[in-house]
Amino acid sequence: MTEFFQSWGLPYEWAWGIATVAGILLIALPLMLAVAMVIYAERRMWAAFALRRGPNVVGPFGLLQSFADGLKVMLQETIIPSAANKGIFLIAPIITFTVALMAWAVIPFNSGAVLADINVGLLYVLAISSLGVYGVVMAGWASNSKYPFFSAMRAAAQMISYEVSIGFILICVVLWAGTFNMNEIVKAQQGALFGVLNGFAFIPLLFPMWVLFLISSMAETARTPFDLTEAESELVAGYQTEYSSMAFALYWLGEYANVLLMCTLNAVLFWGGWLPPVDWAPLYLVPGVVWLLLKTFVFFFIFAWVKATVPRFRYDQLMRLGWKIFLPLSLIFVVLVSGWLMFTRYGVAA
Amino acid sequence: MEFQASLALVAPELVLSLSGLALLLAAAWGGDKASRLISILAVAALVGAGFLAAPALCNGASGPDTLAFGGQVKVDAFAAFAKLLIYLAAAASLIVAPAFFERVKAMRAEYPVLVLFAAMGMGIMVSAADLVTLYIGLELNSLAAYVLAAFLRTDERSAEAGLKYFVLGALASGFLLYGMSLTYGFAGTTSFAGIHAALAGDMSKGALFGLVFVLSGLAFKISAAPFHMWTPDVYEGAPTPVTTFFASAPKVAAMALTMRVVVDAFGAQVQAWQQIVMIVALVSIVVGALGAIGQDNIKRLMAYSSINNVGFILIGLAAATQQGASAMLVYLAIYVAMTIGGFVAILMLKDANGEPVEQIAQIAGLSSHRKVLAVCLAMIMFSLAGIPPLFGFWGKFLVFQAAVQAGMVPLAAIGIAASVIGAFYYLKVVKVMYFDEPANVAVGKSDWAHQALLAICAIFISPLGYLLTGWLGGMADKAAAALYFVG
Amino acid sequence: MIQTLAFYIFASLVIASAVMVIMSRNPVHSVLWLIVAFFNAAGLMVLVGAEFIAMLLVIVYVGAVAVLFLFVVMMLDIDFAELRAGFVKNFPLGLAIALVLLAEMVMGLGAYKAGGMQLGTPDGTAAAAVGASNIKAIGALLYSKYLFLFESAGIILLVAMIGAIVLTHRQRGDTRGQVISRQVARRPEEATVNTQPEVGKGVQL
């Protein structure tokens, strides 16, 4: 994109700056729109699971429901509890929201269509997602209130626990792809199984890792059945208890942006990203971004499905699952995958 | 091929780490019930590692063939000598542990595993030929040691000892790292040989600072004055088997490491470190001798005794000759035997309920009811004091001889004078045991393993030990020759 | 131009937030400023082309270490008056250490400026293969030249882990753990009984 702006006669720095800002807007604005739409979609899905109607009043089929909700929160008053630590209280939702957007910089939407095509793309995603916990912890502490604080502690422990196994799962992917660059990871998935199917999850050794990743990504985004940070029956609304108005909306937007990110990561890392599922030339006529969006939406459906049907875990069960099952399992698979690759790809003597 | 040769050279470390991992799994599944079996297996692993390390010493290995992993590790006769001592001391502390911990129901299967990893760390320390290797080995040993010090976690003194050791140890590591970074900055390399080459000629102020910091960090680890403050508290608070370990193996490792650093890395700047070592040696001797006088806890007394002995060992280093190094190694071997014997004897001091007895006043008149134990303890005390017929004298003699031959007559004279002062408190213990009114406190029975160990140590330090002087001296000479090998 | 600008932004932010770490009265604020400092330090790393180190800095320090820090600090009940009293008492010592550090820094810089010192001269063995990325170069070094040290460092971490468990883990006899396999293997027949109690008799459990 930089070249395009340079062709207008701008110096390199200016062209680069404009191109970057344009790229950010090109990702962020559709993303916000998508968040609004998936919130609507999810509510419709839950309603369908529960044999209800769901939002169907605002606009055709209730499509504008999310916008109405957005307008509502924007017009509300921002209430700051008198005992709260004001600065941190206000910064916390901004951090959550910003962090939720930042990770999108390295997601490839099509061959080469990445805002920042960096070598350490996957590590960047890990780094950014590990920042997400701060928004929650700061909110919990700054609210100076009992339930938000409990929730913050839970969130911190939960996110750290599951990041460990996510790290190991991603190591398996990286080992197979031989790179941390997201675009290259997608390309490495072309014809992953017998040169026919595109996607690491088709490989028997990596399929279990995908299952772990899917479950861990639900835990990482604190979605049901792992939504202990905002378990209504125990913690009122968790760290969001004291929030209202736009601050609250930022949490909502951030949460859904994160969920979408995790769905996209599932698609990009295990199901071939912008590649069609089968390595068959006519399928490549469909633009890559369509495939990516399709896959993402499938995962979003799975997320909604799980949320509508699976009951919440108890906290000790959550920790047990993370530390005693996922961590050893993913470690074993790191050994298996690297051993297998050493055996088949690189040769034992190497 | 080079990789396989390197692996063969570090075989003792491989044995220790792999058996440590295997025993950790056994500990995870077997639980604390299996801890005796795991201790036995750990001793077996140490013996196995010792057998793998021994050939290098017997062959007097030195030179480029002993370098592994591109010169980061140097497995020469010197390293092998220190390793054998370390493994022996570690094995001894494993043998005495179960009886002690089982009484307070605190024997846990992790104890032998931690000792194994500590021994591995010390093995890496003594074979370091690179600042990074040095630090990795040191930290591996230290981390295990911090945990071991606090092993009796329900005991307040043990927890305090662990915490003190940890905080001060971290500070010392900081010193060491700071010195290492300065050295690296001025030498442009972390390998000892490279530093030796880079600093040849005039030494800059910055590199001197680095040397001072490195030596300070190491002085902490060998508990030489003025970095000795932690020693009495840690020795007193840590469980006695752990103290046995602390007083013997890490001392050998850190001392050998110090020798390695000053000879290999700073060998071209003898002038720069000789004075430092001299001062540290004298201060340690004096502090150890004077500090011990007021002590009424025998473990604290042993702590000051170890500070004092470290001072004497450092005199050999101050001589800065191959003969001095050889004398140090002989002294270290004798010192390890004396220390293990001393602490085993302390472990055997128990009252009727099996509670450990640590107050010197409580062992009054020990000779009347525990004759053999009293004789052994008295021998160890005399030997630590360096009184002639016992083997402890031989070590001191060699060290002073080396100092005199290096032209340091005043240093040797002050050392001898101080050792006379030091004899006072050792004799005080003997006097309490033999001439005071019997307190009849330490009457408990002891384990056969303790008795056997004490007997071995006592025979070694008895005049019979002089039969070994030729053999021990020969081995130490080979090791010292490897340390000073140039080429 | 952009690089220079970015450098000055990152560098001044690192220093400013480092100052804030020690100036903040509230320890939680200190930790948060520390995180900002880490983050900007990572930015500096990116600028010098060490993107792998930068990411590790964020993942390890910001993502894990600082979170635990924050965790502990938030739960501590810190007496500020006592802290400040300690500050005054320890001030001379702190000043002495600061002076030593300053002297060292001046000496190091002086030596560096004077030339003649080969600061970390590459001897060629550590040079990355041409065109290899940062990660590949680091990986190749760690797993070949520094293999032994790398694995030993792993053992250090293992020892630290064993230590933490040995010192803190206690088996409590009074709690009942969950045995998932038993829970799953349980059948309705074992758990439920159909009875038809007579009126007024009740059920025998």
PDB file of all heavy atoms in Angstrom, chain A residues 85 88 120 123 131 134 137 141 156 160 180 314 317 320, chain C residues 26 29 32 35 39 52 62 66-67 71 74 135 178 180:
ATOM      1  N   ASN A  85     -10.232   3.927  42.322  1.00  0.00           N
ATOM      2  CA  ASN A  85      -9.001   4.586  41.917  1.00  0.00           C
ATOM      3  C   ASN A  85      -9.244   5.111  40.511  1.00  0.00           C
ATOM      4  O   ASN A  85      -9.157   4.372  39.534  1.00  0.00           O
ATOM      5  CB  ASN A  85      -7.878   3.556  41.949  1.00  0.00           C
ATOM      6  CG  ASN A  85      -6.527   4.210  41.872  1.00  0.00           C
ATOM      7  OD1 ASN A  85      -6.341   5.136  41.088  1.00  0.00           O
ATOM      8  ND2 ASN A  85      -5.604   3.741  42.668  1.00  0.00           N
ATOM      9  N   ILE A  88      -6.989   4.552  37.072  1.00  0.00           N
ATOM     10  CA  ILE A  88      -6.894   3.166  36.617  1.00  0.00           C
ATOM     11  C   ILE A  88      -8.268   2.636  36.239  1.00  0.00           C
ATOM     12  O   ILE A  88      -8.423   1.893  35.273  1.00  0.00           O
ATOM     13  CB  ILE A  88      -6.239   2.307  37.717  1.00  0.00           C
ATOM     14  CG1 ILE A  88      -4.821   2.795  37.939  1.00  0.00           C
ATOM     15  CG2 ILE A  88      -6.241   0.847  37.342  1.00  0.00           C
ATOM     16  CD1 ILE A  88      -4.064   2.010  38.945  1.00  0.00           C
ATOM     17  N   VAL A 120       7.831 -12.635  13.587  1.00  0.00           N
ATOM     18  CA  VAL A 120       7.445 -13.249  14.853  1.00  0.00           C
ATOM     19  C   VAL A 120       5.951 -13.096  15.080  1.00  0.00           C
ATOM     20  O   VAL A 120       5.503 -12.888  16.190  1.00  0.00           O
ATOM     21  CB  VAL A 120       8.225 -12.621  16.025  1.00  0.00           C
ATOM     22  CG1 VAL A 120       9.642 -13.116  16.033  1.00  0.00           C
ATOM     23  CG2 VAL A 120       8.174 -11.123  15.948  1.00  0.00           C
ATOM     24  N   LEU A 123       4.303 -15.086  17.853  1.00  0.00           N
ATOM     25  CA  LEU A 123       4.751 -14.635  19.173  1.00  0.00           C
ATOM     26  C   LEU A 123       4.083 -13.309  19.532  1.00  0.00           C
ATOM     27  O   LEU A 123       3.740 -13.074  20.686  1.00  0.00           O
ATOM     28  CB  LEU A 123       6.268 -14.444  19.181  1.00  0.00           C
ATOM     29  CG  LEU A 123       7.099 -15.697  19.303  1.00  0.00           C
ATOM     30  CD1 LEU A 123       8.561 -15.346  19.243  1.00  0.00           C
ATOM     31  CD2 LEU A 123       6.801 -16.376  20.617  1.00  0.00           C
ATOM     32  N   LEU A 131      -1.420  -9.611  27.319  1.00  0.00           N
ATOM     33  CA  LEU A 131      -1.687  -8.292  27.895  1.00  0.00           C
ATOM     34  C   LEU A 131      -3.143  -8.147  28.298  1.00  0.00           C
ATOM     35  O   LEU A 131      -3.483  -7.305  29.126  1.00  0.00           O
ATOM     36  CB  LEU A 131      -1.382  -7.200  26.878  1.00  0.00           C
ATOM     37  CG  LEU A 131       0.073  -6.954  26.555  1.00  0.00           C
ATOM     38  CD1 LEU A 131       0.172  -5.857  25.527  1.00  0.00           C
ATOM     39  CD2 LEU A 131       0.796  -6.542  27.809  1.00  0.00           C
ATOM     40  N   TYR A 134      -4.511  -7.554  31.831  1.00  0.00           N
ATOM     41  CA  TYR A 134      -4.358  -6.323  32.612  1.00  0.00           C
ATOM     42  C   TYR A 134      -5.636  -5.516  32.700  1.00  0.00           C
ATOM     43  O   TYR A 134      -5.937  -4.946  33.745  1.00  0.00           O
ATOM     44  CB  TYR A 134      -3.224  -5.468  32.051  1.00  0.00           C
ATOM     45  CG  TYR A 134      -1.897  -6.029  32.434  1.00  0.00           C
ATOM     46  CD1 TYR A 134      -1.093  -6.650  31.506  1.00  0.00           C
ATOM     47  CD2 TYR A 134      -1.481  -5.977  33.745  1.00  0.00           C
ATOM     48  CE1 TYR A 134       0.105  -7.193  31.866  1.00  0.00           C
ATOM     49  CE2 TYR A 134      -0.284  -6.525  34.119  1.00  0.00           C
ATOM     50  CZ  TYR A 134       0.509  -7.135  33.175  1.00  0.00           C
ATOM     51  OH  TYR A 134       1.682  -7.688  33.548  1.00  0.00           O
ATOM     52  N   VAL A 137      -7.624  -7.190  35.421  1.00  0.00           N
ATOM     53  CA  VAL A 137      -7.056  -7.082  36.771  1.00  0.00           C
ATOM     54  C   VAL A 137      -7.129  -5.642  37.269  1.00  0.00           C
ATOM     55  O   VAL A 137      -7.483  -5.375  38.423  1.00  0.00           O
ATOM     56  CB  VAL A 137      -5.603  -7.589  36.769  1.00  0.00           C
ATOM     57  CG1 VAL A 137      -4.944  -7.305  38.095  1.00  0.00           C
ATOM     58  CG2 VAL A 137      -5.571  -9.073  36.496  1.00  0.00           C
ATOM     59  N   TRP A 141      -9.184  -4.274  40.558  1.00  0.00           N
ATOM     60  CA  TRP A 141      -8.535  -3.632  41.692  1.00  0.00           C
ATOM     61  C   TRP A 141      -9.034  -2.199  41.865  1.00  0.00           C
ATOM     62  O   TRP A 141      -9.313  -1.751  42.973  1.00  0.00           O
ATOM     63  CB  TRP A 141      -7.024  -3.639  41.484  1.00  0.00           C
ATOM     64  CG  TRP A 141      -6.283  -3.038  42.628  1.00  0.00           C
ATOM     65  CD1 TRP A 141      -6.008  -3.622  43.820  1.00  0.00           C
ATOM     66  CD2 TRP A 141      -5.759  -1.726  42.695  1.00  0.00           C
ATOM     67  NE1 TRP A 141      -5.332  -2.767  44.627  1.00  0.00           N
ATOM     68  CE2 TRP A 141      -5.157  -1.597  43.967  1.00  0.00           C
ATOM     69  CE3 TRP A 141      -5.720  -0.642  41.811  1.00  0.00           C
ATOM     70  CZ2 TRP A 141      -4.534  -0.417  44.365  1.00  0.00           C
ATOM     71  CZ3 TRP A 141      -5.096   0.524  42.207  1.00  0.00           C
ATOM     72  CH2 TRP A 141      -4.516   0.625  43.476  1.00  0.00           C
ATOM     73  N   ALA A 156      -6.862 -13.431  36.338  1.00  0.00           N
ATOM     74  CA  ALA A 156      -5.410 -13.485  36.181  1.00  0.00           C
ATOM     75  C   ALA A 156      -4.934 -14.929  36.228  1.00  0.00           C
ATOM     76  O   ALA A 156      -4.173 -15.377  35.358  1.00  0.00           O
ATOM     77  CB  ALA A 156      -4.744 -12.668  37.281  1.00  0.00           C
ATOM     78  N   ILE A 160      -3.349 -16.902  32.849  1.00  0.00           N
ATOM     79  CA  ILE A 160      -1.960 -17.380  32.880  1.00  0.00           C
ATOM     80  C   ILE A 160      -1.924 -18.886  32.707  1.00  0.00           C
ATOM     81  O   ILE A 160      -1.131 -19.434  31.942  1.00  0.00           O
ATOM     82  CB  ILE A 160      -1.278 -16.965  34.188  1.00  0.00           C
ATOM     83  CG1 ILE A 160      -1.090 -15.459  34.206  1.00  0.00           C
ATOM     84  CG2 ILE A 160       0.059 -17.637  34.335  1.00  0.00           C
ATOM     85  CD1 ILE A 160      -0.429 -14.964  35.440  1.00  0.00           C
ATOM     86  N   PHE A 180       7.360 -18.611  12.351  1.00  0.00           N
ATOM     87  CA  PHE A 180       6.434 -17.896  13.225  1.00  0.00           C
ATOM     88  C   PHE A 180       5.569 -16.923  12.437  1.00  0.00           C
ATOM     89  O   PHE A 180       4.675 -16.315  12.986  1.00  0.00           O
ATOM     90  CB  PHE A 180       7.207 -17.106  14.284  1.00  0.00           C
ATOM     91  CG  PHE A 180       7.619 -17.903  15.476  1.00  0.00           C
ATOM     92  CD1 PHE A 180       8.899 -18.372  15.620  1.00  0.00           C
ATOM     93  CD2 PHE A 180       6.707 -18.176  16.480  1.00  0.00           C
ATOM     94  CE1 PHE A 180       9.278 -19.104  16.728  1.00  0.00           C
ATOM     95  CE2 PHE A 180       7.067 -18.905  17.586  1.00  0.00           C
ATOM     96  CZ  PHE A 180       8.358 -19.373  17.712  1.00  0.00           C
ATOM     97  N   ARG A 314     -16.579 -25.524  37.643  1.00  0.00           N
ATOM     98  CA  ARG A 314     -16.224 -25.015  38.957  1.00  0.00           C
ATOM     99  C   ARG A 314     -14.772 -24.563  38.882  1.00  0.00           C
ATOM    100  O   ARG A 314     -14.020 -25.039  38.028  1.00  0.00           O
ATOM    101  CB  ARG A 314     -16.370 -26.139  39.977  1.00  0.00           C
ATOM    102  CG  ARG A 314     -16.983 -25.730  41.278  1.00  0.00           C
ATOM    103  CD  ARG A 314     -17.278 -26.949  42.101  1.00  0.00           C
ATOM    104  NE  ARG A 314     -16.127 -27.844  42.125  1.00  0.00           N
ATOM    105  CZ  ARG A 314     -16.228 -29.155  42.239  1.00  0.00           C
ATOM    106  NH1 ARG A 314     -17.417 -29.714  42.304  1.00  0.00           N
ATOM    107  NH2 ARG A 314     -15.149 -29.914  42.273  1.00  0.00           N
ATOM    108  N   GLN A 317     -12.117 -27.211  39.045  1.00  0.00           N
ATOM    109  CA  GLN A 317     -12.132 -28.051  37.840  1.00  0.00           C
ATOM    110  C   GLN A 317     -11.401 -27.364  36.698  1.00  0.00           C
ATOM    111  O   GLN A 317     -10.659 -27.991  35.940  1.00  0.00           O
ATOM    112  CB  GLN A 317     -13.579 -28.331  37.430  1.00  0.00           C
ATOM    113  CG  GLN A 317     -14.289 -29.247  38.389  1.00  0.00           C
ATOM    114  CD  GLN A 317     -15.761 -29.336  38.094  1.00  0.00           C
ATOM    115  OE1 GLN A 317     -16.378 -28.375  37.631  1.00  0.00           O
ATOM    116  NE2 GLN A 317     -16.339 -30.476  38.361  1.00  0.00           N
ATOM    117  N   ARG A 320      -7.750 -27.629  37.340  1.00  0.00           N
ATOM    118  CA  ARG A 320      -7.318 -29.009  37.154  1.00  0.00           C
ATOM    119  C   ARG A 320      -7.174 -29.297  35.665  1.00  0.00           C
ATOM    120  O   ARG A 320      -6.177 -29.860  35.216  1.00  0.00           O
ATOM    121  CB  ARG A 320      -8.358 -29.931  37.781  1.00  0.00           C
ATOM    122  CG  ARG A 320      -8.001 -31.374  37.715  1.00  0.00           C
ATOM    123  CD  ARG A 320      -9.074 -32.208  38.403  1.00  0.00           C
ATOM    124  NE  ARG A 320      -8.745 -33.611  38.249  1.00  0.00           N
ATOM    125  CZ  ARG A 320      -9.009 -34.296  37.157  1.00  0.00           C
ATOM    126  NH1 ARG A 320      -9.592 -33.715  36.134  1.00  0.00           N
ATOM    127  NH2 ARG A 320      -8.669 -35.568  37.074  1.00  0.00           N
TER     128      ARG A 320
ATOM    129  N   ASN C  26       1.767   4.643  45.505  1.00  0.00           N
ATOM    130  CA  ASN C  26       0.993   3.416  45.563  1.00  0.00           C
ATOM    131  C   ASN C  26       1.764   2.302  44.846  1.00  0.00           C
ATOM    132  O   ASN C  26       2.099   2.441  43.674  1.00  0.00           O
ATOM    133  CB  ASN C  26      -0.346   3.668  44.859  1.00  0.00           C
ATOM    134  CG  ASN C  26      -1.307   2.539  45.083  1.00  0.00           C
ATOM    135  OD1 ASN C  26      -0.888   1.401  45.253  1.00  0.00           O
ATOM    136  ND2 ASN C  26      -2.578   2.859  45.097  1.00  0.00           N
ATOM    137  N   HIS C  29       0.493   1.232  41.494  1.00  0.00           N
ATOM    138  CA  HIS C  29       0.872   2.140  40.405  1.00  0.00           C
ATOM    139  C   HIS C  29       2.301   1.862  39.962  1.00  0.00           C
ATOM    140  O   HIS C  29       2.616   1.899  38.781  1.00  0.00           O
ATOM    141  CB  HIS C  29       0.741   3.594  40.860  1.00  0.00           C
ATOM    142  CG  HIS C  29      -0.671   4.011  41.074  1.00  0.00           C
ATOM    143  ND1 HIS C  29      -1.019   5.280  41.442  1.00  0.00           N
ATOM    144  CD2 HIS C  29      -1.815   3.322  40.982  1.00  0.00           C
ATOM    145  CE1 HIS C  29      -2.333   5.353  41.568  1.00  0.00           C
ATOM    146  NE2 HIS C  29      -2.837   4.170  41.302  1.00  0.00           N
ATOM    147  N   LEU C  32       2.354  -1.003  37.693  1.00  0.00           N
ATOM    148  CA  LEU C  32       1.792  -0.665  36.383  1.00  0.00           C
ATOM    149  C   LEU C  32       2.782   0.154  35.570  1.00  0.00           C
ATOM    150  O   LEU C  32       2.933  -0.042  34.361  1.00  0.00           O
ATOM    151  CB  LEU C  32       0.470   0.081  36.556  1.00  0.00           C
ATOM    152  CG  LEU C  32      -0.649  -0.795  37.133  1.00  0.00           C
ATOM    153  CD1 LEU C  32      -1.889   0.034  37.402  1.00  0.00           C
ATOM    154  CD2 LEU C  32      -0.976  -1.923  36.182  1.00  0.00           C
ATOM    155  N   ILE C  35       5.302  -2.038  34.119  1.00  0.00           N
ATOM    156  CA  ILE C  35       4.832  -2.714  32.911  1.00  0.00           C
ATOM    157  C   ILE C  35       4.997  -1.802  31.696  1.00  0.00           C
ATOM    158  O   ILE C  35       5.430  -2.230  30.626  1.00  0.00           O
ATOM    159  CB  ILE C  35       3.364  -3.133  33.103  1.00  0.00           C
ATOM    160  CG1 ILE C  35       3.284  -4.218  34.170  1.00  0.00           C
ATOM    161  CG2 ILE C  35       2.774  -3.630  31.807  1.00  0.00           C
ATOM    162  CD1 ILE C  35       1.919  -4.384  34.747  1.00  0.00           C
ATOM    163  N   PHE C  39       7.241  -2.561  28.424  1.00  0.00           N
ATOM    164  CA  PHE C  39       6.642  -2.518  27.102  1.00  0.00           C
ATOM    165  C   PHE C  39       7.457  -1.638  26.168  1.00  0.00           C
ATOM    166  O   PHE C  39       7.732  -1.985  25.025  1.00  0.00           O
ATOM    167  CB  PHE C  39       5.214  -1.981  27.232  1.00  0.00           C
ATOM    168  CG  PHE C  39       4.317  -2.504  26.181  1.00  0.00           C
ATOM    169  CD1 PHE C  39       3.859  -3.808  26.264  1.00  0.00           C
ATOM    170  CD2 PHE C  39       3.935  -1.726  25.118  1.00  0.00           C
ATOM    171  CE1 PHE C  39       3.045  -4.320  25.284  1.00  0.00           C
ATOM    172  CE2 PHE C  39       3.125  -2.227  24.141  1.00  0.00           C
ATOM    173  CZ  PHE C  39       2.666  -3.523  24.224  1.00  0.00           C
ATOM    174  N   PHE C  52      12.633 -10.973  18.315  1.00  0.00           N
ATOM    175  CA  PHE C  52      12.370 -12.139  19.138  1.00  0.00           C
ATOM    176  C   PHE C  52      12.501 -11.798  20.627  1.00  0.00           C
ATOM    177  O   PHE C  52      11.647 -12.132  21.442  1.00  0.00           O
ATOM    178  CB  PHE C  52      13.337 -13.260  18.754  1.00  0.00           C
ATOM    179  CG  PHE C  52      13.140 -14.523  19.525  1.00  0.00           C
ATOM    180  CD1 PHE C  52      11.959 -15.235  19.406  1.00  0.00           C
ATOM    181  CD2 PHE C  52      14.122 -15.002  20.355  1.00  0.00           C
ATOM    182  CE1 PHE C  52      11.768 -16.411  20.113  1.00  0.00           C
ATOM    183  CE2 PHE C  52      13.937 -16.176  21.063  1.00  0.00           C
ATOM    184  CZ  PHE C  52      12.760 -16.871  20.942  1.00  0.00           C
ATOM    185  N   VAL C  62       5.985  -9.008  30.889  1.00  0.00           N
ATOM    186  CA  VAL C  62       4.698  -8.334  31.018  1.00  0.00           C
ATOM    187  C   VAL C  62       3.594  -9.351  31.238  1.00  0.00           C
ATOM    188  O   VAL C  62       2.720  -9.183  32.078  1.00  0.00           O
ATOM    189  CB  VAL C  62       4.423  -7.484  29.765  1.00  0.00           C
ATOM    190  CG1 VAL C  62       3.098  -6.798  29.894  1.00  0.00           C
ATOM    191  CG2 VAL C  62       5.524  -6.478  29.578  1.00  0.00           C
ATOM    192  N   ALA C  66       5.058  -9.823  35.619  1.00  0.00           N
ATOM    193  CA  ALA C  66       4.433  -8.622  36.172  1.00  0.00           C
ATOM    194  C   ALA C  66       3.020  -8.911  36.665  1.00  0.00           C
ATOM    195  O   ALA C  66       2.557  -8.292  37.616  1.00  0.00           O
ATOM    196  CB  ALA C  66       4.424  -7.516  35.128  1.00  0.00           C
ATOM    197  N   VAL C  67       2.341  -9.867  36.009  1.00  0.00           N
ATOM    198  CA  VAL C  67       0.998 -10.200  36.481  1.00  0.00           C
ATOM    199  C   VAL C  67       1.075 -10.761  37.899  1.00  0.00           C
ATOM    200  O   VAL C  67       0.294 -10.372  38.778  1.00  0.00           O
ATOM    201  CB  VAL C  67       0.320 -11.215  35.533  1.00  0.00           C
ATOM    202  CG1 VAL C  67      -0.997 -11.669  36.111  1.00  0.00           C
ATOM    203  CG2 VAL C  67       0.101 -10.612  34.186  1.00  0.00           C
ATOM    204  N   PHE C  71      -0.440  -9.242  41.217  1.00  0.00           N
ATOM    205  CA  PHE C  71      -1.236 -10.134  42.051  1.00  0.00           C
ATOM    206  C   PHE C  71      -0.846  -9.968  43.509  1.00  0.00           C
ATOM    207  O   PHE C  71      -1.669  -9.732  44.382  1.00  0.00           O
ATOM    208  CB  PHE C  71      -0.861 -11.559  41.613  1.00  0.00           C
ATOM    209  CG  PHE C  71      -1.998 -12.503  41.547  1.00  0.00           C
ATOM    210  CD1 PHE C  71      -2.656 -12.682  40.358  1.00  0.00           C
ATOM    211  CD2 PHE C  71      -2.372 -13.215  42.655  1.00  0.00           C
ATOM    212  CE1 PHE C  71      -3.696 -13.571  40.290  1.00  0.00           C
ATOM    213  CE2 PHE C  71      -3.412 -14.097  42.588  1.00  0.00           C
ATOM    214  CZ  PHE C  71      -4.085 -14.283  41.406  1.00  0.00           C
ATOM    215  N   MET C  74      -1.273  -6.323  44.918  1.00  0.00           N
ATOM    216  CA  MET C  74      -2.666  -5.946  45.158  1.00  0.00           C
ATOM    217  C   MET C  74      -3.191  -6.558  46.446  1.00  0.00           C
ATOM    218  O   MET C  74      -4.040  -5.988  47.111  1.00  0.00           O
ATOM    219  CB  MET C  74      -3.528  -6.436  44.004  1.00  0.00           C
ATOM    220  CG  MET C  74      -3.496  -5.529  42.801  1.00  0.00           C
ATOM    221  SD  MET C  74      -4.539  -6.208  41.530  1.00  0.00           S
ATOM    222  CE  MET C  74      -4.407  -4.943  40.300  1.00  0.00           C
ATOM    223  N   ILE C 135      15.136 -15.442  15.023  1.00  0.00           N
ATOM    224  CA  ILE C 135      14.773 -16.633  15.795  1.00  0.00           C
ATOM    225  C   ILE C 135      15.628 -17.799  15.359  1.00  0.00           C
ATOM    226  O   ILE C 135      16.114 -18.568  16.175  1.00  0.00           O
ATOM    227  CB  ILE C 135      13.305 -16.985  15.571  1.00  0.00           C
ATOM    228  CG1 ILE C 135      12.443 -15.768  15.794  1.00  0.00           C
ATOM    229  CG2 ILE C 135      12.890 -18.101  16.465  1.00  0.00           C
ATOM    230  CD1 ILE C 135      11.022 -15.987  15.419  1.00  0.00           C
ATOM    231  N   GLN C 178     -11.606 -34.533  44.038  1.00  0.00           N
ATOM    232  CA  GLN C 178     -12.552 -35.005  43.035  1.00  0.00           C
ATOM    233  C   GLN C 178     -11.857 -36.069  42.198  1.00  0.00           C
ATOM    234  O   GLN C 178     -10.766 -35.840  41.698  1.00  0.00           O
ATOM    235  CB  GLN C 178     -12.955 -33.824  42.170  1.00  0.00           C
ATOM    236  CG  GLN C 178     -13.982 -34.161  41.138  1.00  0.00           C
ATOM    237  CD  GLN C 178     -14.314 -32.943  40.318  1.00  0.00           C
ATOM    238  OE1 GLN C 178     -13.518 -32.027  40.211  1.00  0.00           O
ATOM    239  NE2 GLN C 178     -15.488 -32.934  39.724  1.00  0.00           N
ATOM    240  N   ILE C 180     -12.375 -37.744  38.941  1.00  0.00           N
ATOM    241  CA  ILE C 180     -13.280 -37.588  37.801  1.00  0.00           C
ATOM    242  C   ILE C 180     -13.644 -38.933  37.212  1.00  0.00           C
ATOM    243  O   ILE C 180     -14.800 -39.182  36.859  1.00  0.00           O
ATOM    244  CB  ILE C 180     -12.617 -36.689  36.745  1.00  0.00           C
ATOM    245  CG1 ILE C 180     -12.408 -35.321  37.372  1.00  0.00           C
ATOM    246  CG2 ILE C 180     -13.458 -36.627  35.488  1.00  0.00           C
ATOM    247  CD1 ILE C 180     -12.735 -34.166  36.556  1.00  0.00           C
TER     248      ILE C 180
END
